[in-house]
Amino acid sequence: MEDLREDRPVDLVAALARARSPEPPGPDTPAGGAVRAWPGPPGPLPQADPAALDLGALLRLSLGAADDSGRLRPVSSAGALHPVDAELHVGPGCSLPPGRYGYDPLRHRVHRLGPQPEGTPPGVTAELSVTARRTVSHYGHRAWPLLLLDTGHAAAALCLAARALGTHEPEVRLDGLAESPLAVVHVPPPGGRGGPAHQDGGRGQALPSGGARVPDLPGGPPTPTELLARRSTPPPLPGAPPQDTLREVLATAERAGIGELRWCAAVGPPRPALVALSADGTTLRRQAAGEARPTLAAWAAGQSWIADAGAVLLAHGCPADADAAHIRRTHLRAGFAVHLAHITALRHGLAARPVGSWQQADLGAALGAAPGRDWVVHGLALGTRHADEENTT
């Protein structure tokens, strides 16, 4: 626990095993500062000319806080604790002069840290790391899976903001090889290429390995209004999603997960089951019969409302013997994929809420397979109505 609080290197294999155990967290501890204490004075994010990447808009649509408390942001975070920190490597073609900057999402300001690293491509490269203490303050030993999922969500938020602003294709590194930064997102200027995939045969400075394209969302790029309005729906989330909608949400998650995880959804009556995409992705097939939602509620830190959710999307994999790189990779990609699935669900008028904390959630063993091989990594609860509507009917 001490290593987590002080943001020292952590034995991730042991941390995940403990987070998956039934051991309850201890009492809350001080969270420390809500923003990393970047050195130097803060500076504004200036307006961009039409040919430049508007970093102010990019960050406002992805990581920036919309209220003084810092809780209201366009990206999901366990407990609204927002542990992800962004260091920006700014190249040519941006609204800021080239250099290294630390971003303050509460004040929407940047701190200049020094010159741009050698080989910085045009546009901005955001290196995402975490201040573990913020999440540990509430979740204790359960924090590390949540920190990784939060980082995946933040990477997806940056990519969607880039799409909304009409830049050239963003690229994201979620390979899990590095302890810090955990993820890297490169956003080229509008109409520009010049990114890591176009240097040295796709092995540029920012994304030395594991760089991946961002899959398209059904219905096209998001709008800025859409991104600012996205929120996690408070429970309860009743109402079963239509089959076609559930299929599209699952398909979005599978494309964004880059083949690292398996995906299914728990649905209730009239035919309760676990369902997954068919091999050709055109229909849902029954993976297992029976009502799974009460078990999922018990596994998800006892959140009883999950038993009555319309459906629960599940990312599963990451066996008990996974090494640290595998753990980082699967959790980062799960957060990334669930974020895109969340947007797809909202586009179809669904209520949706990510679910990140899972204990004893050995899905494979529950379905009769060998234990320890197939764990729930992340979830997205779905419904057709949210709490406010329930209270008015």
Side-chain angles (χ1 to χ4, degrees):
M1 173 70 77
E2 188 65 28
D3 283 350
L4 281 172
R5 278 199 298 265
E6 298 300 325
D7 296 318
R8 296 171 183 163
V10 64
D11 181 344
L12 193 54
V13 175
L16 180 60
R18 191 178 175 198
R20 286 172 167 174
S21 78
E23 177 188 354
D28 284 4
T29 58
V35 175
R36 183 172 170 181
W38 301 106
L45 286 150
Q47 292 284 342
D49 65 55
L53 175 60
D54 189 340
L55 293 180
L58 180 79
L59 294 165
R60 181 68 78 191
L61 294 174
S62 56
L63 306 180
D67 67 336
D68 292 339
S69 75
R71 292 179 62 88
L72 197 59
R73 309 195 203 190
V75 61
S76 301
S77 172
L81 292 164
H82 295 286
V84 180
D85 303 315
E87 181 176 308
L88 310 176
H89 296 179
V90 177
C94 292
S95 54
L96 279 172
R100 287 175 54 240
Y101 298 84
Y103 177 56
D104 179 341
L106 298 188
R107 298 167 186 83
H108 197 52
R109 294 288 186 270
V110 289
H111 296 249
R112 185 174 173 85
L113 306 177
Q116 69 191 72
E118 184 178 354
T120 299
V124 64
T125 303
E127 295 192 344
L128 303 180
S129 57
V130 293
T131 298
R133 179 179 179 180
R134 293 181 211 146
T135 300
V136 173
S137 68
H138 181 64
Y139 291 98
H141 66 274
R142 294 178 178 172
W144 263 102
L146 300 173
L147 290 160
L148 295 169
L149 295 173
D150 274 12
T151 306
H153 277 274
L158 281 163
C159 291
L160 290 177
R163 285 272 177 83
L165 294 176
T167 73
H168 190 64
E169 285 298 303
E171 293 175 296
V172 60
R173 193 202 77 197
L174 301 169
D175 55 32
L177 297 178
E179 293 183 9
S180 184
L182 289 168
V184 179
V185 178
H186 176 255
V187 180
R193 294 181 73 83
H198 308 290
Q199 301 175 13
D200 303 326
R203 295 172 55 85
Q205 294 287 335
L207 303 180
S209 64
R213 294 291 185 187
V214 182
D216 292 332
L217 282 178
T223 66
T225 299
E226 187 178 8
L227 295 184
L228 290 175
R230 67 190 150 178
R231 293 289 178 264
S232 295
T233 310
L237 279 70
Q243 292 285 295
D244 285 349
T245 300
L246 184 58
R247 179 188 56 77
E248 197 155 288
V249 174
L250 269 168
T252 298
E254 285 207 354
R255 287 194 302 270
I258 323 178
E260 190 66 44
L261 297 154
R262 292 176 293 281
W263 298 86
C264 65
V267 297
R271 299 181 67 199
L274 286 177
V275 298
L277 284 180
S278 60
D280 62 6
T282 60
T283 60
L284 295 177
R285 60 177 178 84
R286 182 180 292 196
Q287 188 174 31
E291 177 61 88
R293 294 173 302 164
T295 298
L296 297 178
W299 285 350
Q303 298 181 75
S304 60
W305 61 269
I306 292 173
D308 298 314
V312 186
L313 180 77
L314 298 172
H316 53 102
C318 195
D321 61 358
D323 62 17
H326 190 164
I327 292 168
R328 284 191 290 266
R329 184 169 64 250
T330 51
H331 285 76
L332 290 167
R333 290 182 176 178
F336 186 88
V338 165
H339 195 89
L340 270 65
H342 190 174
I343 295 293
T344 300
L346 296 178
R347 283 187 157 186
H348 284 277
L350 297 182
R353 184 176 186 84
V355 182
S357 188
W358 297 92
Q359 288 74 53
Q360 299 181 289
D362 190 340
L363 183 64
L367 296 177
R373 307 305 304 162
D374 196 20
W375 294 80
V376 175
V377 175
H378 202 7
L380 181 68
L382 302 167
T384 57
R385 292 175 292 169
H386 56 70
D388 291 341
E389 291 172 331
E390 286 292 292
N391 293 335
T392 58
T393 58

